[in-house]
Amino acid sequence: MALRFISGKYQGGEYPLTEGQEIVIGRSSELDMVLVEEMVSRRHARILLTNGVITIEDLGSTNGTFINGEKIQRATLKESDRILIGTSILKVVATVERGDTAEAQAQARDNARQNMRQAGEEAPRMSGSLEEIPLPDLLQLFGTSRKDGVLILRVEGASGRILLKGGLIAHAEIDDHSTISGRKAAYRMLGWTKGVFELEPPDPREIAQPMDANAQEILMEGFRRQDEFAEVKNRLPPLTSRLAMASPLRGSLRQLAPEELDLLDLAVNSANIQAVLDTTPEHDLETAQRIEGLIKRGYLVSAG
């Protein structure tokens, strides 16, 4: 088994675990695993592999040790568990069985220490892959550890920002879409599964109407909306389709509510359905439901 850094300035490095070999993690230079950053205590945590069982213990650190988003004092680790210490996220991984000698294992640990010393000269930076650490896991980790900062997400063709204050989501925004509200942006980004993330320092600007939502609230409501939106989307023309007003109309425009008239006007003057979703201040689910209703009632048709 080994500890693999999947985020932070040591990202990509691995530290092998050896039976009976204790690993003390902290900022102090004489320790086994040295993480050079202010959020890490001098003696932060201890990990020990005994009889195939990996245990971890927090050594009274200031900022805490977190396993899969939960703050712990002592816990047992298993493969795929994620450990958050400072700005570093480590994953417990199984390594290929090589039958290394004790000397070879010691050399592997020395190599890992050397690589970490070199990386330690860089500024702390939390970054990684969304495939390795999905956004829901990140939000839960940051919420439990009460992180401050701006979580930057970059996926193919889009990028977004989530502002965190004490672990709460204060605001969210998707670049090039200023009309999209904070919650609408956060719900959309939950569907981003392939890309990269980076945690930057806090944004000093004041948000006029901060969301101040916890991760669990956003995740539960966001996933519900994603599921319902997917069902509605399957009944609509492709989102790249342009909409046009039906001719002749089946009903009178006077039968439409003001918000339906506004959406009808927006739909016939937009490049496609996706552009409608991007422009309207309403959430994607409600907009898609209204578009479906206008199509069923004979006010809108797909124009290809």
Side-chain angles (χ1 to χ4, degrees):
M1 306 295 288
L3 300 174
R4 177 180 296 158
F5 287 86
I6 58 175
S7 177
K9 61 182 176 181
Y10 307 103
Q11 185 177 347
E14 280 191 10
Y15 197 100
L17 297 174
T18 303
E19 180 69 29
Q21 180 78 34
E22 180 182 81
I23 300 173
V24 180
I25 305 170
R27 201 172 69 244
S28 181
S29 59
E30 72 271 6
L31 300 182
D32 306 292
M33 184 186 292
V34 182
L35 304 181
V36 186
E37 57 172 287
E38 290 183 0
M39 291 185 66
V40 177
S41 298
R42 288 182 61 79
R43 287 174 56 84
H44 197 106
R46 174 169 45 219
I47 295 177
L48 179 63
L49 173 61
T50 307
N51 298 323
V53 178
I54 310 170
T55 56
I56 182 169
E57 178 185 3
D58 184 84
L59 299 176
S61 66
T62 302
N63 293 301
T65 301
F66 299 84
I67 307 298
N68 300 325
E70 294 186 9
K71 191 173 185 178
I72 60 97
Q73 291 301 318
R74 184 181 176 87
T76 300
L77 297 171
K78 61 183 184 301
E79 187 177 351
S80 298
D81 279 348
R82 297 185 179 97
I83 308 162
L84 173 64
I85 296 177
T87 63
S88 294
I89 301 177
L90 302 92
K91 183 178 181 180
V92 181
V93 298
T95 56
V96 178
E97 185 64 48
R98 297 186 302 255
D100 285 348
T101 63
E103 187 176 323
Q105 292 175 341
Q107 183 61 51
R109 289 194 299 274
D110 288 343
N111 291 340
R113 290 192 191 102
Q114 180 61 31
N115 292 336
M116 290 177 65
R117 276 196 294 271
Q118 293 173 353
E121 299 172 2
E122 304 172 10
R125 183 174 63 91
M126 181 176 279
S127 61
S129 163
L130 289 173
E131 293 176 90
E132 185 71 68
I133 318 176
L135 179 57
D137 291 5
L138 284 171
L139 293 179
Q140 289 177 321
L141 276 171
F142 296 154
T144 308
S145 55
R146 299 182 179 181
K147 277 280 190 290
D148 290 321
V150 181
L151 180 60
I152 309 293
L153 305 178
R154 296 185 178 89
V155 299
E156 186 176 358
S159 61
R161 295 156 49 91
I162 298 176
L163 278 62
L164 301 167
K165 291 191 176 181
L168 294 178
I169 299 169
H171 184 61
E173 57 194 16
I174 295 176
D175 294 351
D176 302 324
H177 293 298
S178 58
T179 58
I180 293 180
S181 68
R183 285 183 179 269
K184 182 175 178 177
Y187 297 152
R188 271 201 191 182
M189 283 187 272
L190 288 178
W192 294 3
T193 57
K194 293 183 179 181
V196 295
F197 71 86
E198 182 174 344
L199 185 65
E200 294 188 347
D203 190 327
R205 63 178 163 150
E206 288 293 325
I207 304 300
Q209 295 181 318
M211 293 162 52
D212 289 337
N214 63 49
Q216 199 62 27
E217 175 189 348
I218 292 297
L219 294 178
M220 290 181 65
E221 179 65 10
F223 286 139
R224 179 190 71 81
R225 287 178 170 276
Q226 276 190 354
D227 290 342
E228 293 186 26
F229 176 70
E231 292 179 7
V232 178
K233 187 172 74 170
N234 286 336
R235 298 193 294 267
L236 291 176
L239 298 186
T240 54
S241 302
R242 187 171 62 84
L243 295 172
M245 191 174 294
S247 180
L249 291 174
R250 279 196 233 158
S252 168
L253 293 177
R254 286 179 295 180
Q255 295 175 314
L256 296 178
E259 59 270 16
E260 291 176 319
L261 277 171
D262 289 342
L263 182 60
L264 180 68
D265 178 62
L266 177 62
V268 298
N269 288 291
S270 296
N272 50 40
I273 298 175
Q274 184 62 60
V276 178
L277 296 171
D278 291 341
T279 304
T280 178
E282 289 193 320
H283 291 290
D284 291 338
L285 174 60
E286 285 78 6
T287 301
Q289 288 172 332
R290 284 212 174 102
I291 291 174
E292 181 185 25
L294 290 171
I295 291 174
K296 284 183 175 178
R297 293 159 63 190
Y299 289 97
L300 286 175
V301 294
S302 173

